[in-house]
């Protein structure tokens, strides 16, 4: 988000400082990534709040998010590619500089979302309220190739 970018990049005039800040966030997250500490880290520390904002911010998926995109990019970068953005297709936004790539393309996810279903046959729960459909063997979706300088 713009707020997270300002906190991360405000005192980082050089890319090395930006990389160091990101490494610091990754280390802090790893140290607190357990059931006992994660909630307190994410809600009670500045680093945790930044990590949470970076993980959950979806503003760039909207047309009014495009003006903030350059603030999120390190020096020399022209595009931002993100995953965990379920949809039926890859989305290229912000003059094709923001790429939402993980678009529910996997057959397992397309078949049943986050629910566990075996996929090899149609199944219905005992009370009939829940159904797992047989998974298609056909590949669906799109592939994006990112080439340097393109």
């Amino acid at each position: 988000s713009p707020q997270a970018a300002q906190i991360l990049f405000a005192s980082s005039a050089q890319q090395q400082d930006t990389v160091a800040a990101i490494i610091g966030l990754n280390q802090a997250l790893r140290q607190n990534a357990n059931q006992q500490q994660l909630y307190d880290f994410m809600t009670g520390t500045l680093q945790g709040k930044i990590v949470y904002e970076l993980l959950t911010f979806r503003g760039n998926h909207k047309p009014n998010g495009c003006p903030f995109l350059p603030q999120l990019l390190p020096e020399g970068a022209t595009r931002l590619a993100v995953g965990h953005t379920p949809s039926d297709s890859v989305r290229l936004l912000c003059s094709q500089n923001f790429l939402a790539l993980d678009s529910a393309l996997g057959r397992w996810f397309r078949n049943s979302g986050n629910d566990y279903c075996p996929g090899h046959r149609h199944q219905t729960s005992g009370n009939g309220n829940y159904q797992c459909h047989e998974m298609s063997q056909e590949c669906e979706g799109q592939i994006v190739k990112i080439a340097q300088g393109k």
Side-chain angles (χ1 to χ4, degrees):
S1 77
Q3 297 87 1
Q6 288 171 355
I7 292 169
L8 279 177
F9 303 127
S11 63
S12 302
Q14 300 175 358
Q15 188 173 359
Q16 290 176 346
D17 293 335
T18 303
V19 171
I22 293 169
I23 289 171
L25 288 174
N26 283 333
Q27 288 173 341
L29 179 58
R30 270 195 301 277
Q31 291 170 352
N32 291 281
N34 60 66
Q35 193 171 7
Q36 292 77 31
Q37 295 174 287
L38 186 60
Y39 179 80
D40 290 338
F41 170 71
M42 297 293 264
T43 60
T45 70
L46 179 59
Q47 285 182 315
K49 289 175 183 178
I50 292 170
V51 168
Y52 183 79
E53 183 75 14
L54 291 169
L55 289 173
T56 61
F57 180 71
R58 296 292 183 252
N60 287 319
H61 295 265
K62 300 172 185 164
N64 64 350
C66 293
F68 300 106
L69 183 62
Q71 296 177 39
L72 300 173
L73 300 174
E75 187 177 325
T78 58
R79 291 183 174 155
L80 175 63
V82 297
H84 301 288
T85 57
S87 181
D88 287 335
S89 62
V90 168
R91 289 162 328 281
L92 304 176
L93 307 165
C94 304
S95 300
Q96 298 191 351
N97 291 321
F98 181 72
L99 296 76
L101 300 176
D102 179 9
S103 57
L105 300 180
R107 285 181 275 185
W108 289 96
F109 191 87
R110 279 189 185 263
N111 191 53
S112 55
N114 286 328
D115 298 324
Y116 172 74
C117 286
H120 63 281
R121 61 183 160 77
H122 183 271
Q123 289 181 292
T124 303
S125 64
N127 64 8
N129 291 334
Y130 186 80
Q131 293 191 19
C132 287
H133 301 282
E134 184 175 353
M135 184 172 54
S136 170
Q137 295 303 310
E138 298 290 320
C139 290
E140 299 178 29
Q142 301 169 327
I143 296 175
V144 174
K145 179 180 179 181
I146 301 173
Q148 188 171 356
K150 303 264 177 162

